[in-house]
Amino acid sequence: MHTWPAPLTELYPREPDPALRVNFIASADGAVTVEGVSAGLQGPGDKEVFDTLRMVCDALIVAAGTVRAENYDALRLTPAARAWRTAAGLPEYPLMVIVSGSLDLDTEQLIFSDAPIRPIVITHSRARAADRLTEVAEVVALGDDRVDLAAMVRLLHERGATQLLCEGGPGLLGSLIAADLVDELCLTVAPLLVGGGAGRIARGPDGPGRRMRLRHVLTREDMLFLRYVRKTRLGTP
């Protein structure tokens, strides 16, 4: 049986300071999806890392387009994961946060209908939430005509959620990078060549590069797991 060099909770720890971590998977040639979804990129070890990152976070942030494209389920953790969180003094479940400018969301999707705790939908003041959405989620408007992501991060911190995890999609990651909010990137590289027109993990406005430091490289059966942190943040020199 393959083992990691240390427990995943030590390899992907909660940070002592507030941090926004993003988790993505891409092929060896940079494709973020296979036939439109990320599932075709998954492989050995990927789900263990994915589940660990969810277990140790305070809030999971996902764009509405990713919720629709990947048909997100409710944020339900395994009994073992919930026990770990309880032992660590954390709430049993992380917050589920959905970023949506249009509020085009299906309230019957499991992310709402089977949610263990009420999701938060972050939008802007020009969007108008239908009654059906406010019945299943807390809707918060931040920003005039687009979501103010820095305000979202501040709001979550005020609510005690300091360890933030974003799972996409590329548009949201690009906006987070542009707003200089990303502290850590966890990138899984699948041993596949995809070609075609699949996009990259981040899409957005051009801007300066942000220097990262490589914290670790893990492998399992040709899958590659990289962890980068901001060079000037999270205790890096």
Side-chain angles (χ1 to χ4, degrees), residues 8-15 18-24 49-50 52-61 153 157 162-168 173 176 181-187 212 215-216 226-229 234:
L8 287 178
T9 51
E10 295 179 12
L11 294 168
Y12 298 94
R14 289 173 59 86
E15 296 289 347
L20 194 156
R21 166 186 281 165
V22 296
N23 183 36
F24 272 81
V49 172
F50 180 88
T52 298
L53 293 178
R54 285 186 165 198
M55 181 179 74
V56 303
C57 78
D58 294 322
L60 173 63
I61 305 168
V153 170
H157 288 176
T162 63
Q163 305 296 298
L164 309 179
L165 172 65
C166 176
E167 292 179 352
L173 175 54
L176 289 169
L181 293 170
V182 177
D183 297 301
E184 180 174 331
L185 169 65
C186 299
L187 177 64
M212 308 292 285
R215 275 290 180 88
H216 73 221
L226 307 173
R227 180 178 175 230
Y228 292 93
V229 299
L234 304 186

Side-chain angles (χ1 to χ4, degrees), residues 25-175:
I25 187 169
S27 68
D29 61 341
V32 72
T33 58
V34 177
E35 298 180 345
V37 294
S38 63
L41 296 166
Q42 295 168 3
D46 177 54
K47 190 174 189 308
E48 291 176 56
V49 172
F50 180 88
D51 288 346
T52 298
L53 293 178
R54 285 186 165 198
M55 181 179 74
V56 303
C57 78
D58 294 322
L60 173 63
I61 305 168
V62 188
T66 298
V67 167
R68 292 189 295 267
E70 303 285 349
N71 194 26
Y72 260 57
D73 291 339
L75 181 55
R76 288 191 172 275
L77 305 181
T78 65
R82 298 200 304 273
W84 183 92
R85 289 179 61 84
T86 300
L90 302 173
E92 192 174 7
Y93 293 97
L95 298 173
M96 181 74 241
V97 181
I98 303 165
V99 179
S100 177
S102 67
L103 298 180
D104 180 17
L105 294 161
D106 180 1
T107 58
E108 295 185 1
Q109 191 171 333
L110 291 177
I111 195 171
F112 296 110
S113 64
D114 190 42
I117 56 176
R118 189 178 177 86
I120 302 171
V121 177
I122 305 294
T123 189
H124 53 77
S125 60
R126 292 191 180 180
R128 291 292 177 265
D131 290 343
R132 58 180 177 77
L133 183 58
T134 57
E135 289 173 0
V136 297
E138 178 186 357
V139 180
V140 180
L142 298 172
D144 295 331
D145 55 5
R146 65 180 59 187
V147 176
D148 185 334
L149 296 174
M152 174 189 72
V153 170
R154 290 193 298 271
L155 173 69
L156 293 173
H157 288 176
E158 289 168 1
R159 295 189 179 197
T162 63
Q163 305 296 298
L164 309 179
L165 172 65
C166 176
E167 292 179 352
L172 178 54
L173 175 54
S175 296

Side-chain angles (χ1 to χ4, degrees), residues 4-6 8 11-12 49 216-220 223-227:
W4 302 102
L8 287 178
L11 294 168
Y12 298 94
V49 172
H216 73 221
V217 178
L218 308 174
T219 62
R220 178 171 288 186
M223 297 286 286
L224 185 64
F225 303 91
L226 307 173
R227 180 178 175 230

